[in-house]
Amino acid sequence: MSPQDAIPTRAHLIGFSLVELMIVLVIIAVLASIAIPGFQDQVARSHVMGGLSELRALTTAYEDFSLRGVETFDLNDLGLEESGTTAATTRCELSLAVPDPETGDGSLSCLLQGSPRINGFELRLNREGSQGRWVCYSDLPERFRPTGCLSNGN
């Protein structure tokens, strides 16, 4: 065996150099830093829509009690397993304000939980008894607020 046979030639080298691997890792890190915040925003939006869905599911029973003139009812009467005017689900802490006997105005609200981007924000459906419609209000930042939901309807 000659001394030249012991030195590997370019044809014998197979694989990636450390520099090439580092470049690939940097590219992956840059792509992840761009994609992860967008993904987290989508997760937060889905939690908001889940909370709104929970509220909307209660409006039919609420409307029924209100139109029949029932002055006292709780979340258990609306279909939840917990009784009282507050209940917790995986997406929200729900609360209920029974309709005013004279005006029919009342509300259902959801204190959001789940994604850290929306924890503690409120979604509220106000029943405008004189018009017989539900209006959505929220203190969420605009990018998370559902379409048609008004800001800070206190």
Side-chain angles (χ1 to χ4, degrees):
M1 177 170 183
S2 70
Q4 288 189 351
D5 289 337
I7 301 173
T9 62
R10 188 83 167 142
H12 291 109
L13 295 177
I14 299 175
F16 299 104
S17 71
L18 183 59
V19 171
E20 291 169 329
L21 290 174
M22 293 302 289
I23 289 171
V24 169
L25 288 176
V26 166
I27 291 170
I28 290 172
V30 167
L31 291 174
S33 70
I34 293 169
I36 289 174
F39 174 74
Q40 289 172 334
D41 280 356
Q42 289 299 336
V43 168
R45 281 189 202 101
S46 74
H47 287 198
V48 169
M49 295 311 291
L52 184 59
S53 174
E54 287 183 8
L55 286 178
R56 294 251 185 240
L58 299 174
T59 59
T60 303
Y62 187 105
E63 196 69 29
D64 179 49
F65 282 111
S66 177
L67 292 175
R68 287 190 292 136
V70 177
E71 293 184 14
T72 57
F73 55 90
D74 62 19
L75 291 169
N76 183 273
D77 297 325
L78 299 181
L80 292 177
E81 291 184 18
E82 296 183 43
S83 61
T85 57
T86 62
T89 66
T90 56
R91 294 183 190 106
C92 310
E93 185 176 315
L94 296 165
S95 62
L96 156 78
V98 293
D100 182 289
E102 293 178 20
T103 64
D105 293 350
S107 69
L108 291 165
S109 66
C110 165
L111 189 63
L112 293 164
Q113 49 196 25
S115 170
R117 294 176 184 236
I118 51 108
N119 273 345
F121 286 102
E122 181 188 36
L123 279 174
R124 188 174 65 254
L125 291 177
N126 283 359
R127 182 180 187 275
E128 296 178 352
S130 62
Q131 297 178 357
R133 67 181 182 137
W134 290 88
V135 180
C136 178
Y137 294 101
S138 179
D139 59 354
L140 281 161
E142 189 172 345
R143 72 177 194 247
F144 298 123
R145 197 174 320 128
T147 304
C149 209
L150 305 174
S151 175
N152 296 326
N154 295 327

